[in-house]
């Protein structure tokens, strides 16, 4: 009887040890709910996350939300059902996340926000956000417009996705930045949904309405700025000269446009967040306390700097 008990205990401890060893070797399983593929910037971010997961031996479950919050919510629910160890969420819009993040919290799955923020009553629904400071980016754009135009210019604004923190805050920063420059006027703001195609369409409409009264295009991302360049050319104006263009992101495509003289300045926004995202997620899983906002530092590049900087651009 005694011998049987000892054997049973021995068998149990071997099983526990084996389970423990297995658990340690088991790759981390992470769900990544990406917004979509609306811009060159986003493709660079997706590649950064996928390649960092590969390098770190992480089992990544990737979902493309095709710019729809409902798809992202479905993806998060599926990650929860699969019992992932952690979730990375690039939220398309700021609001509407409480129920699904509540479910992740109940399942004890840490969620890290990547590249955009959300608005929730209960901040404990996510661990932290890793993003740029979009208000700062908007202010930098405003500073450049004031300096470049001597404080007098008619601006048209191509906004990002309605309800996205990257759009609302880039607008807020720009408006704050020009508030003491009464000669800078925003003629009109319209969304181009962060895409080149819509950026072009909206710019065509602006050109029809305001023609040569437009002095500056402020686009919330490079893709919309690149679309605007096409519209400006088709309307018979010279982008970069007749109409100056400043955008946010600083992708290689925008640098090429600057080298060609068709874009004037870019405010950087770093999409290469993969390695930092996983490093942060591992800390969260280990129970470490983290800063609620891990801010990415960005800078402004002008077309004069572009030829010497373009070779080093990583996205
Ligand atoms: O959230 C970051 C923004 O989203 C980038 O500026 C833009 O290009 C992307 O679509």
């Amino acid at each position: 009887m005694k011998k049987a008990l000892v054997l049973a205990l021995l068998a149990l401890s071997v099983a526990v040890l084996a389970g423990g060893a297995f658990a340690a070797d088991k790759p981390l399983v992470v769900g990544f709910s990406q917004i979509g593929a609306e811009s060159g910037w986003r493709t660079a971010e997706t590649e950064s996350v996928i390649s960092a997961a590969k390098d770190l031996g992480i089992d990544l479950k990737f979902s493309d939300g095709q710019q729809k919050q409902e798809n992202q919510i479905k993806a998060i629910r599926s990650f929860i059902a699969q019992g992932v160890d952690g979730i990375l969420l690039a939220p398309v819009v700021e609001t509407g996340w409480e129920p699904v993040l509540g479910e992740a919290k109940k399942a004890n799955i840490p969620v890290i926000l990547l590249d955009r923020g959300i608005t929730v009553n209960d901040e404990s629904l996510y661990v932290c956000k890793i993003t740029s400071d979009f208000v700062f980016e908007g202010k930098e754009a405003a500073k450049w417009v004031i300096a470049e135009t001597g404080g007098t210019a008619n601006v048209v604004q191509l906004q990002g996705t309605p309800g996205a923190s990257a759009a609302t805050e880039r607008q807020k920063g720009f408006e704050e930045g020009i508030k003491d420059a009464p000669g800078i006027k925003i003629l009109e703001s319209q969304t181009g949904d962060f895409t080149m195609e819509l950026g072009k369409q909206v710019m065509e409409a602006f050109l029809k309405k305001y023609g040569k009264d437009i002095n500056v295009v402020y686009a919330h991302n490079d893709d919309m700025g690149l679309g605007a360049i096409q519209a400006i050319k088709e309307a018979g104006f010279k982008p970069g000269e007749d109409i100056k263009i400043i955008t946010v992101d600083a992708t290689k495509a925008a640098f090429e446009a600057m080298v060609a003289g068709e874009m004037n300045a870019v405010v950087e926004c770093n999409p290469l967040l993969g390695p930092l995202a996983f490093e942060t997620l591992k800390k969260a899983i280990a129970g470490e306390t983290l800063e609620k906002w891990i801010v990415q530092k960005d800078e402004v590049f002008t077309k004069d700097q572009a030829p010497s900087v373009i070779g080093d651009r990583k996205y």
Side-chain angles (χ1 to χ4, degrees), residues 12-63:
L12 185 69
S13 35
V14 168
V16 168
L17 275 176
F22 178 66
D25 288 346
K26 222 178 76 181
L28 208 64
V29 183
V30 177
F32 175 30
S33 169
Q34 175 59 294
I35 290 169
E38 74 282 4
S39 63
W41 186 98
R42 191 145 305 280
T43 307
E45 185 191 57
T46 298
E47 282 168 9
S48 169
V49 173
I50 290 176
S51 79
K54 220 171 176 187
D55 291 349
L56 296 163
I58 286 168
D59 178 0
L60 187 72
K61 316 267 176 218
F62 177 79
S63 169

Side-chain angles (χ1 to χ4, degrees), residues 35 37-42 45 67 91 114-116 134 137 161 164-167 170 193-195 220-223 248-249 251 269:
I35 290 169
E38 74 282 4
S39 63
W41 186 98
R42 191 145 305 280
E45 185 191 57
Q67 278 185 283
L114 218 51
D115 94 64
R116 290 187 193 170
F134 302 132
E137 291 173 350
T161 304
S165 65
R170 282 174 187 163
D193 208 12
F194 283 127
T195 69
H220 289 183
N221 83 342
D222 288 351
D223 286 72
V248 187
D249 278 354
T251 56
C269 180

Side-chain angles (χ1 to χ4, degrees), residues 73-84:
I73 291 174
K74 263 189 219 150
I76 297 170
R77 292 213 163 107
S78 141
F79 296 152
I80 298 171
Q82 292 172 70
V84 298

Side-chain angles (χ1 to χ4, degrees), residues 26-301:
K26 222 178 76 181
L28 208 64
V29 183
V30 177
F32 175 30
S33 169
Q34 175 59 294
I35 290 169
E38 74 282 4
S39 63
W41 186 98
R42 191 145 305 280
T43 307
E45 185 191 57
T46 298
E47 282 168 9
S48 169
V49 173
I50 290 176
S51 79
K54 220 171 176 187
D55 291 349
L56 296 163
I58 286 168
D59 178 0
L60 187 72
K61 316 267 176 218
F62 177 79
S63 169
D64 177 336
Q66 300 187 351
Q67 278 185 283
K68 288 199 172 68
Q69 185 179 35
E70 68 207 67
N71 292 342
Q72 291 202 278
I73 291 174
K74 263 189 219 150
I76 297 170
R77 292 213 163 107
S78 141
F79 296 152
I80 298 171
Q82 292 172 70
V84 298
D85 299 304
I87 292 174
L88 300 175
L89 165 65
V92 62
V93 289
E94 277 183 276
T95 55
W97 298 101
E98 267 102 349
V100 75
L101 293 189
E103 290 162 37
K105 190 181 172 188
K106 215 166 148 202
N108 253 323
I109 300 173
V111 175
I112 290 184
L113 305 180
L114 218 51
D115 94 64
R116 290 187 193 170
I118 61 173
T119 311
V120 277
N121 289 331
D122 177 4
E123 296 259 300
S124 76
L125 290 176
Y126 66 94
V127 177
C128 63
K129 64 171 182 178
I130 304 174
T131 75
S132 288
D133 182 339
F134 302 132
V135 174
F136 168 83
E137 291 173 350
K139 282 186 181 165
E140 287 299 292
K143 239 193 247 171
W144 179 86
V145 171
I146 295 167
E148 181 71 15
T149 63
T152 307
N154 290 327
V155 180
V156 288
Q157 180 172 217
L158 294 171
Q159 300 158 305
T161 304
S165 65
T168 357
E169 293 170 14
R170 282 174 187 163
Q171 170 154 357
K172 185 174 175 234
F174 190 79
E175 285 169 0
E176 278 175 25
I178 59 167
K179 76 174 185 311
D180 295 325
I184 306 289
K185 294 206 166 53
I186 300 180
L187 291 177
E188 196 168 332
S189 304
Q190 287 286 337
T191 180
D193 208 12
F194 283 127
T195 69
M196 199 181 295
E197 203 189 331
L198 270 181
K200 180 172 186 262
Q201 277 178 33
V202 174
M203 190 63 204
E204 282 166 357
F206 284 159
L207 284 160
K208 268 197 194 122
K209 198 162 169 189
Y210 304 104
K212 57 181 173 37
D213 286 346
I214 302 171
N215 308 120
V216 174
V217 174
Y218 165 46
H220 289 183
N221 83 342
D222 288 351
D223 286 72
M224 292 189 294
L226 293 166
I229 289 176
Q230 292 175 26
I232 293 168
K233 282 190 195 167
E234 285 171 20
F237 296 108
K238 274 196 177 148
E241 286 180 33
D242 300 330
I243 299 177
K244 309 236 160 139
I245 302 163
I246 179 161
T247 67
V248 187
D249 278 354
T251 56
K252 215 166 198 158
F255 271 82
E256 280 160 6
M258 287 199 288
V259 171
E262 296 182 337
M263 196 180 268
N264 304 80
V266 290
V267 186
E268 192 181 36
C269 180
N270 179 18
L272 308 178
L273 303 174
L276 178 61
F278 290 119
E279 190 192 315
T280 311
L281 190 57
K282 280 183 177 175
K283 286 183 183 164
I285 291 168
E288 279 185 42
T289 310
L290 296 159
E291 293 287 321
K292 202 72 194 175
W293 185 14
I294 302 174
V295 194
Q296 300 305 291
K297 287 243 153 57
D298 302 310
E299 51 183 312
V300 176
F301 296 99

